[in-house]
Amino acid sequence: MIGRVRCDAASRDALVEALTEMQDESRREEGCIRYGFFAAVEDPLSFVAVEEWADREALDRHFAEPHLQEFAGKLLELVSERPEVAIHEVAGTSPFPGSS
């Protein structure tokens, strides 16, 4: 899953705090392989979420977690634009060509 959010400068610190809390809670969930928020290089007020889950069932359980529901409410108060979320289902993963 890939998500994108943007905030105003005045909300940045509060958003980073909320993102950090969400990231830490989510990483403890069963089925979470990777979960992180990253500031965009070209815009320090934009953040990208990158999540990797063991399977769709783990992601669906994540969506039902109380901490996600709480985060979603906070998030809408802190962002300046509507968040974007895209779920990608990957059939397989291989190393970058020439990296092995």
Side-chain angles (χ1 to χ4, degrees), residues 6-67:
R6 187 166 198 288
C7 65
D8 295 326
S11 299
R12 189 179 194 282
D13 289 345
L15 180 58
V16 168
E17 184 177 327
L19 296 177
T20 301
E21 184 178 328
M22 179 63 182
Q23 175 178 276
D24 293 346
E25 291 285 332
S26 298
R27 286 177 176 172
R28 288 191 277 274
E29 291 179 44
E30 184 180 337
C32 180
I33 298 170
R34 287 184 186 80
Y35 196 109
F37 291 97
F38 307 92
V41 173
E42 73 279 3
D43 179 3
L45 300 177
S46 292
F47 296 87
V48 176
V50 179
E51 303 176 26
E52 186 177 352
W53 296 90
D55 51 36
R56 182 57 193 244
E57 290 78 22
L59 178 60
D60 290 342
R61 285 192 306 271
H62 171 65
F63 288 147
E65 287 287 330
H67 71 90

Side-chain angles (χ1 to χ4, degrees), residues 88-93:
H88 303 276
E89 294 194 32
V90 179
T93 302

Side-chain angles (χ1 to χ4, degrees), residues 79-90:
V79 296
S80 59
E81 300 171 9
R82 183 177 178 183
E84 297 176 34
V85 176
I87 298 171
H88 303 276
E89 294 194 32
V90 179

